Amino acid sequence: MAIIMKFGGSSVKTAERIRNVCSIIESRKEQNPVVVVSAVGGITDLLIDTATLAKDGGDVTSAIADIKQRHKDILSELRLDGKLVDGLLTEIEQVIGDIKARLVADTAVMDVVQSFGERLSSVIIAANLVQRGVVAKACVAWDYGMITTPAYGNAEPIPSSFALMKEKIEAVEGIPVITGFIGKDEKGAITTLGRGGSDYTAALYGAALDVSEIQIWTDVDGILSADPRVIPNAKRHTTVSFDEASELAFFGAKVLHPKTILPAVKQCIPVRVLNTFNPSCEGTVITREGARTLDIVKAISCKKDVSIVTIHSTRMLNAHGFLAKVFEVFACNKKSVDIVATSEVSVSMTVDSGESLADILAELNEIAETKVTNGKAIVCVVGEGMKHTKGLAGRIFSTLGKAGINIEVISQGGSEINISMVVDGRDAEKAVKALHGEFFN
Ligand code: ADP
Ligand code: ASP
Ligand code: MG
């Protein structure tokens, strides 16, 4: 049986870190690793920024030089052939040049631009493994079964891709080093699975190959009781349940892409989060049940840049079908909603800021009055133990009240393992700190 080992951008950010990652892979080669990699840390952002600059007619010379230099420096420090990725680097220049000539960058071309990050890193990492004497091969996911829907920026594998992934990867001699995050649709256009999507790629190959474990190697010791950037002494959990991990990922814990858990759940494959900077730490294992622990609350997460859409209609009073209509508008516009709270005459929903709401609002305004408030954050308290604990909501609300934080929307998931609150974005960190202090100190 194989294992999946996925390495994130921060773990492959420099030559030294790539060397470290390759030594971790080598040390586990008896377990038949199938490796999935992210772009070199920061490169996806740089690619996006460069394409945006080109679209706006700006001077991209230094941005392109920067992308080239970062990869050239890594090759030279690793003593690999300096021309190893020249073909890809030239292609980037052509694509960006094309955007600059046409002054357009639609979602399709943005996916092409972003695809280069992982294509470059997989070649470099595979070459470094080979240099160490490990048989390895760089694999661009679309040549190894990752055929997706044409939903640029948010693609999904089509059902027949799983059998293909298995067939193609099993035929690779040595360790496959697969590009995370990217695929192609059935017509051959490049797609991406959404930001942070390499975790999802890892889980998809894990499911296709029915591996014994999907390992997500990152820059922290595992799933912690809060983001360590906010709570430096956050506590590591040795196990969490699939449900807890999904809620946390969905509500802002960047450590896992929200879709990662789904393919694992279907086949009951454990997902383990591990630290490339501390490989001897056993990390956090995510399994169906998790483990019974004394912790009522497992973690506090926070998702920023959220907007509240309030839909108000006096006609809603006793009117059946109103909510259905509201949801239909969101569904038809392919807009996902995180939190919903309803009263007799109004509905509040949260959506990610930055996404265009114009079409949705135009449709909603035909049936109700709408208001959008930006600059909000969702703070989410998660734990299986919450199901059986009385008075918890009161404790959460009074903690925030004592900290002087106003709660604007409240929602408790049907599974009863999470309570989410919308607060002003400026209060988000204060809220996480107050709640962490209440449940973990
Ligand atoms: P990678 O580059 O490996 O994909 P990410 O930056 O996407 O890594 O995710 C790891 C980061 O997630 C950590 O550095 C940490 O700041 C953040 N994070 C947020 N919430 C949590 C949490 N509850 N537990 C662990 N890490 C968290
Ligand atoms: N490189 C992509 C990103 O930065 C995917 C990933 O790292 O998971 O979003
Ligand atoms: Mg990530």
Side-chain angles (χ1 to χ4, degrees):
M1 245 181 158
I3 57 167
I4 298 281
M5 298 179 84
K6 178 263 168 179
F7 296 92
S10 49
S11 300
V12 296
K13 199 171 179 177
T14 60
E16 191 197 331
R17 291 187 189 181
I18 290 177
R19 227 181 260 129
N20 174 44
V21 158
C22 289
S23 90
I24 294 174
I25 297 170
E26 191 178 3
S27 72
R28 300 189 184 211
K29 70 175 187 230
E30 261 62 62
Q31 295 178 58
N32 299 322
V34 170
V35 173
V36 173
V37 294
S38 286
V40 167
I43 291 295
T44 309
D45 284 334
L46 200 51
L47 287 165
I48 295 173
D49 293 347
T50 311
T52 310
L53 189 62
K55 183 199 73 177
D56 296 337
D59 182 1
V60 292
T61 326
S62 84
I64 289 184
D66 208 11
I67 295 168
K68 287 186 174 174
Q69 202 55 50
R70 294 250 346 244
H71 292 93
K72 291 272 188 189
D73 285 349
I74 290 175
L75 288 176
S76 122
E77 275 179 59
L78 292 175
R79 296 178 206 284
L80 291 170
D81 175 5
K83 294 195 164 56
L84 188 64
V85 294
D86 276 6
L88 286 168
L89 294 174
T90 308
E91 243 187 274
I92 296 180
E93 216 169 344
Q94 283 160 354
V95 174
I96 299 286
D98 210 42
I99 295 174
K100 194 164 154 118
R102 296 189 300 125
L103 299 179
V104 279
D106 56 16
T107 49
V109 81
M110 285 310 281
D111 275 6
V112 175
V113 170
Q114 291 175 71
S115 74
F116 287 105
E118 275 70 10
R119 289 156 76 186
L120 287 159
S121 64
S122 62
V123 170
I124 297 173
I125 293 160
N128 194 242
L129 283 168
V130 171
Q131 189 187 44
R132 301 173 74 97
V134 179
V135 185
K137 185 171 195 300
C139 301
V140 184
W142 58 64
D143 290 331
Y144 292 82
M146 187 60 82
I147 310 303
T148 73
T149 58
Y152 303 113
N154 194 21
E156 287 285 340
I158 60 169
S160 60
S161 62
F162 290 90
L164 208 55
M165 287 184 215
K166 180 174 160 68
E167 182 197 318
K168 298 271 186 183
I169 291 299
E170 282 181 351
V172 173
E173 208 183 306
I175 299 178
V177 181
I178 310 171
T179 55
F181 182 51
I182 62 175
K184 269 189 184 171
D185 69 11
E186 285 173 287
K187 289 190 181 142
I190 294 175
T191 56
T192 67
L193 310 183
R195 292 303 306 272
S198 297
D199 295 343
Y200 191 34
T201 305
L204 293 170
Y205 278 99
L209 295 162
D210 201 18
V211 297
S212 58
E213 187 167 272
I214 297 164
Q215 299 182 346
I216 304 292
W217 288 83
T218 183
D219 60 352
V220 286
D221 275 344
I223 296 197
L224 312 176
S225 54
D227 188 337
R229 287 179 234 202
V230 181
I231 309 285
N233 62 346
K235 167 183 168 183
R236 173 176 65 94
H237 292 293
T238 48
T239 53
V240 305
S241 70
F242 282 136
D243 287 345
E244 287 170 330
S246 302
E247 297 283 359
L248 286 172
F250 192 71
F251 289 111
K254 201 186 160 205
V255 64
L256 275 186
H257 184 278
K259 288 183 191 160
T260 313
I261 299 297
L262 291 172
V265 171
K266 274 197 194 144
Q267 281 161 242
C268 243
I269 303 172
V271 176
R272 189 183 291 272
V273 179
L274 292 145
N275 189 355
T276 48
F277 299 94
N278 185 17
S280 61
C281 175
E282 58 168 6
T284 300
V285 62
I286 307 164
T287 56
R288 181 180 285 190
E289 276 92 22
R292 278 175 218 286
T293 62
L294 293 174
D295 297 310
I296 299 167
V297 167
K298 283 278 176 63
I300 324 273
S301 68
C302 171
K303 181 173 172 178
K304 287 191 180 151
D305 296 320
V306 167
S307 300
I308 306 180
V309 182
T310 310
I311 302 147
H312 184 94
S313 170
T314 43
R315 275 185 286 156
M316 192 168 157
L317 220 53
N318 297 326
H320 51 263
F322 180 80
L323 269 183
K325 175 71 192 154
V326 168
F327 284 118
E328 192 188 307
V329 172
F330 278 86
C332 289
N333 286 280
K334 296 204 169 80
K335 187 81 58 205
S336 59
V337 170
D338 289 341
I339 288 184
V340 182
T342 62
S343 78
E344 241 340 88
V345 291
S346 77
V347 196
S348 297
M349 313 205 179
T350 61
V351 296
D352 291 349
S353 306
E355 290 187 48
S356 162
L357 292 172
D359 293 347
I360 290 189
L361 294 178
E363 280 182 56
L364 289 174
N365 283 334
E366 285 173 20
I367 53 166
E369 284 165 36
T370 57
K371 189 173 114 197
V372 179
T373 339
N374 297 321
K376 303 295 167 191
I378 298 173
V379 174
C380 184
V381 181
V382 176
E384 294 279 357
M386 292 167 68
K387 276 186 216 164
H388 319 287
T389 311
K390 292 199 180 72
L392 198 67
R395 200 169 148 198
I396 292 171
F397 303 150
S398 75
T399 302
L400 293 183
K402 266 187 239 151
I405 296 164
N406 182 36
I407 306 173
E408 302 185 26
V409 184
I410 296 167
S411 152
Q412 173 161 30
S415 60
E416 289 181 64
I417 69 161
N418 81 316
I419 293 181
S420 321
M421 291 141 294
V422 181
V423 300
D424 194 86
R426 286 164 296 190
D427 286 335
E429 289 199 354
K430 197 163 133 196
V432 172
K433 284 183 180 141
L435 290 167
H436 198 273
E438 172 71 18
F439 290 103
F440 292 95
N441 288 349

